[in-house]
Amino acid sequence: GARMLPGGFTLIELLLAISIMSMILAAMSSVLYIAFRLHNGAIESIENSLPVEVALTSIQRDLANIVCNNASNNVMLIGSFQSINQTNVLPNQIGPDFYTTGGQPDGMVPWGDVEKIDYLLQPPTNRQSAGKDLVRAVTRNLIPVNGVPTQPDQKRTVLSGVQNVIFTYYDGTAWDQSWDSTQQTNLPTAIKMQIYMAAQGYGRSAALPKIYELVIPVDVQMSTNLTSALP
């Protein structure tokens, strides 16, 4: 017969209990491992999407508050909206430079809420990163000294891993590849910004490059009618 161990259990019963416990622990370990991987995947997904959401929100605010002047209404501090025939183009600039009222005065600096915004596509600061850095350049001091154009007061990377950025402009009928407010005497009805991300990974593990698209209606249009002083 089976050998009885102290306490009333046989050796066979003890081995069977150990085997069952081992199977339960193995199953629990597998479940915990899967849960751990899902948790890490969710955290990584959130961390990867957060910079994109922040960048798109910042870009949307810039374009939604865009303002400009025309030849008949030359307003100091606000320039034209031009994607061609631009002057003083910054290195690696992509798209037009434009003026926006999205600035937030803090009462500590002598600048108002009007800012000049330029988007740059520069080589990545992280050499191991695919694509380039999308940089937002802000110029707050808009009054040139001795005719010398002012330079950006701040440059900040808003998104990394960008392959290309394309701006298009809606004239009310079709999307145009360029815009010149000095010739068309107004802002476009809407502005579309497409951000093409660089492919991540290599070979079969490479993920399809993502494309982010913003379509921003332009609500503020310039007045083209001059008013004469009353006699």
Side-chain angles (χ1 to χ4, degrees):
R3 181 182 178 183
M4 184 71 69
L5 294 178
F9 294 100
T10 65
L11 181 59
I12 294 177
E13 290 174 335
L14 183 59
L15 292 175
L16 182 61
I18 293 175
S19 299
I20 295 174
M21 185 61 68
S22 298
M23 294 172 59
I24 295 175
L25 289 176
M28 292 178 61
S29 176
S30 299
V31 172
L32 289 175
Y33 177 71
I34 294 174
F36 183 73
R37 289 191 60 184
L38 290 175
H39 176 267
N40 286 347
I43 293 298
E44 183 179 0
S45 177
I46 293 174
E47 290 179 347
N48 290 337
S49 62
L50 185 59
V52 175
E53 293 296 329
V54 173
L56 295 181
T57 300
S58 175
I59 295 169
Q60 183 176 9
R61 184 175 63 249
D62 287 342
L63 295 178
N65 291 284
I66 192 170
V67 290
C68 76
N69 70 341
N70 58 17
S72 63
N73 184 23
N74 187 16
V75 181
M76 186 177 294
L77 303 181
I78 299 177
S80 302
F81 181 78
Q82 294 174 296
S83 62
I84 55 177
N85 302 322
Q86 294 173 268
T87 58
N88 308 315
V89 176
L90 297 176
N92 301 309
Q93 181 174 331
I94 187 164
D97 51 14
F98 56 92
Y99 295 80
T100 175
T101 58
Q104 299 178 352
D106 57 10
M108 303 298 293
V109 294
W111 320 126
D113 60 345
V114 178
E115 299 175 333
K116 178 175 174 287
I117 305 295
D118 299 278
Y119 281 98
L120 320 175
L121 202 54
Q122 298 182 340
T125 53
N126 182 4
R127 296 184 179 180
Q128 297 180 350
S129 175
K132 299 180 180 180
D133 290 343
L134 181 62
V135 176
R136 180 177 183 264
V138 183
T139 305
R140 298 186 177 92
N141 181 14
L142 302 178
I143 303 178
V145 179
N146 298 326
V148 179
T150 56
Q151 295 300 309
D153 302 291
Q154 181 187 51
K155 290 183 180 180
R156 179 174 60 89
T157 298
V158 295
L159 193 60
S160 297
V162 178
Q163 184 66 35
N164 193 19
V165 176
I166 296 178
F167 286 88
T168 49
Y169 315 94
Y170 190 62
D171 62 5
T173 304
W175 289 97
D176 299 327
Q177 299 297 319
S178 61
W179 197 270
D180 186 348
S181 64
T182 64
Q183 300 297 321
Q184 291 155 292
T185 67
N186 217 328
L187 288 167
T189 304
I191 300 174
K192 180 192 297 183
M193 184 178 183
Q194 295 171 307
I195 303 175
Y196 294 80
M197 305 300 292
Q200 301 292 330
Y202 301 94
R204 294 182 178 180
S205 62
L208 292 176
K210 296 181 179 179
I211 302 174
Y212 300 102
E213 182 176 284
L214 282 174
V215 178
I216 309 299
V218 179
D219 295 328
V220 179
Q221 298 294 327
M222 297 180 301
S223 174
T224 57
N225 296 324
L226 293 178
T227 58
S228 58
L230 296 175

